[in-house]
Amino acid sequence: MRYLIDSKINRFDEDLVNECLQWIPPQQVEQIKAVHHLQGQKEKVAVYCLLTELLKSIGETELPLIGHTEKGCPLLITHPQYHISISHCKNAVAVAIDSEKAIGIDIECRRKISDALIEKVCNDEEQESIKQSIDPEKEFIRIWTRKEAYYKCLGTGIQDSLKEVDRLAQLSNHTIESVELPYPTDGWFTICIEK
């Protein structure tokens, strides 16, 4: 498994996005331009650049084409031998690949959270962890990225069993690891992979 994180995507202004679109394959440019706001285009271009760099690091020189499964999970059309996971937030993007096992990643930046959301997605132990934290928003983000990375690894999308992700991951033989990200991302990165 290999992954890369770019926490400085704000360098992608409109000029740099347009410059990158000159070398990105037309099918991928079409997907990027389908997003009608600059922030979304920045995120997609940053993901594409990171993925290209990651593939080059393992000797793959063909520019990638990213497609999606019926459930919306990303896949590499040009490199079908790899499992892939992609995540982005306002300040950062992350890409992971593995040639043998399914993987899932999630990266999230600090954001406001509501008590209703916490109750909906967190079990009692997680809710207590958030309440006891000196930074409840960041603790929620840590917990949330674990849930999202797990479901991305499964390829199912978010399920009703959100409150039981850590238990389900253990039962299904998955490893979940989280890393705190410093400012400006000010969030968490989590990766989930089958053991």
Side-chain angles (χ1 to χ4, degrees):
M1 178 220 8
R2 292 182 182 233
Y3 66 88
L4 288 174
I5 299 170
D6 183 348
S7 61
K8 298 177 181 165
I9 69 167
N10 288 329
R11 73 183 183 286
F12 284 92
D13 60 12
E14 190 170 359
D15 290 338
L16 185 53
V17 166
N18 288 328
E19 184 180 318
C20 291
L21 294 178
Q22 300 304 307
W23 61 267
I24 294 175
Q27 297 119 307
Q28 217 60 60
V29 170
E30 190 175 305
Q31 287 182 25
I32 294 166
K33 286 188 172 184
V35 178
H36 297 293
H37 53 87
L38 182 59
Q39 179 63 33
Q41 290 181 0
K42 285 170 40 173
E43 292 168 9
K44 286 193 173 290
V45 168
V47 161
Y48 191 83
C49 291
L50 209 58
L51 177 59
T52 301
E53 181 181 338
L54 189 56
L55 287 167
K56 282 183 183 176
S57 77
I58 57 173
E60 300 288 354
T61 56
E62 181 181 6
L63 287 174
L65 289 179
I66 305 167
H68 293 87
T69 66
E70 289 179 12
K71 293 189 176 190
C73 299
L75 58 86
L76 283 172
I77 296 168
T78 49
H79 304 82
Q81 70 273 30
Y82 295 108
H83 299 272
I84 181 175
S85 188
I86 294 170
S87 186
H88 51 82
C89 63
K90 183 179 177 184
N91 298 322
V93 297
V95 177
I97 60 172
D98 191 275
S99 61
E100 297 175 11
K101 299 176 181 177
I103 54 174
I105 59 168
D106 192 43
I107 193 167
E108 296 289 338
C109 305
R110 178 183 294 279
R111 64 175 190 255
K112 294 286 183 195
I113 54 169
S114 68
D115 290 340
L117 180 61
I118 292 170
E119 285 183 31
K120 181 178 180 179
V121 303
C122 296
N123 61 39
D124 292 342
E125 185 179 313
E126 292 165 339
Q127 288 180 42
E128 188 60 30
S129 176
I130 292 166
K131 286 177 191 171
Q132 298 299 319
S133 175
I134 60 170
D135 191 342
E137 287 178 352
K138 204 159 185 180
E139 177 63 5
F140 174 79
I141 292 168
R142 182 188 70 79
I143 292 166
W144 176 256
T145 61
R146 295 177 67 79
K147 296 172 185 296
E148 183 129 2
Y150 175 70
Y151 285 116
K152 285 183 174 185
C153 187
L154 294 181
T156 62
I158 299 295
Q159 302 287 311
D160 289 337
S161 53
L162 270 170
K163 293 184 178 188
E164 303 302 319
V165 164
D166 283 333
R167 184 181 64 78
L168 293 172
Q170 284 182 328
L171 292 173
S172 61
N173 213 24
H174 287 77
T175 299
I176 304 175
E177 294 183 24
S178 300
V179 176
E180 187 173 5
L181 299 172
Y183 183 85
T185 305
D186 199 23
W188 285 87
F189 166 77
T190 298
I191 191 156
C192 178
I193 190 162
E194 298 171 316
K195 290 183 185 175

